[in-house]
Amino acid sequence: MNRLVTVAEMTLRELLRRRGVLALMLLLPLSFYLLRRDAYVGQSVRSLMLGIGWSVSTAALFATSAARELEPRLRLAGYRPHHLYLGRMLGLWAAGLAIALPFFLIVAFDAPQLRHGGVAVAMLCCVAIAPPRCWAS
């Protein structure tokens, strides 16, 4: 478990070093939500889900490219491939939750007529599916 936490922490540190990417990962879903907000609230929430999925998969792409330099060293230190994969997934899921939580709060305050439990489950699905989907393509 300690090895998974170490790889997850390494992934989060690498993502936090890229401040421009972090700003883009937060601004794109917000712009998707605000652009569709006037027409229909449901469409704006769907656009927000698309933006969150894009942000988390982009974070997975950057984490994968950054990890290519570090993974050989970690393998030499005794880390198994499943430690590296699951640790990176854990870090990306934590980053995805950190991205999705402010947007959930925006939706909760901006659209009180929606079913917030369903919106939360949809956001969790976007966060859970986006990192492995990025690696599959």
Side-chain angles (χ1 to χ4, degrees), residues 32-53:
F32 278 7
Y33 180 73
L34 293 177
L35 286 174
R36 301 297 289 174
R37 186 173 159 259
D38 293 338
Y40 179 62
V41 177
Q43 287 183 351
S44 64
V45 171
R46 276 182 289 207
S47 297
L48 179 65
M49 301 297 170
L50 178 69
I52 289 172

Side-chain angles (χ1 to χ4, degrees), residues 4 15 48 98 127 129:
L4 296 178
L15 288 175
L48 179 65
V127 168
I129 292 171

Side-chain angles (χ1 to χ4, degrees), residues 3 11 16 20 30 33 35 38 40 54 69-70 73 75 79 83-84 106 109-110 118-119 121 130 132-133 135 137:
R3 291 183 177 202
T11 301
L16 288 175
L30 181 64
Y33 180 73
L35 286 174
D38 293 338
Y40 179 62
W54 177 87
E69 298 174 9
L70 298 173
R73 293 182 206 159
R75 285 188 186 155
Y79 285 73
H83 292 139
L84 300 175
I106 289 172
F109 288 119
D110 191 42
V119 173
V121 168
R133 180 70 187 137
W135 288 338
S137 53

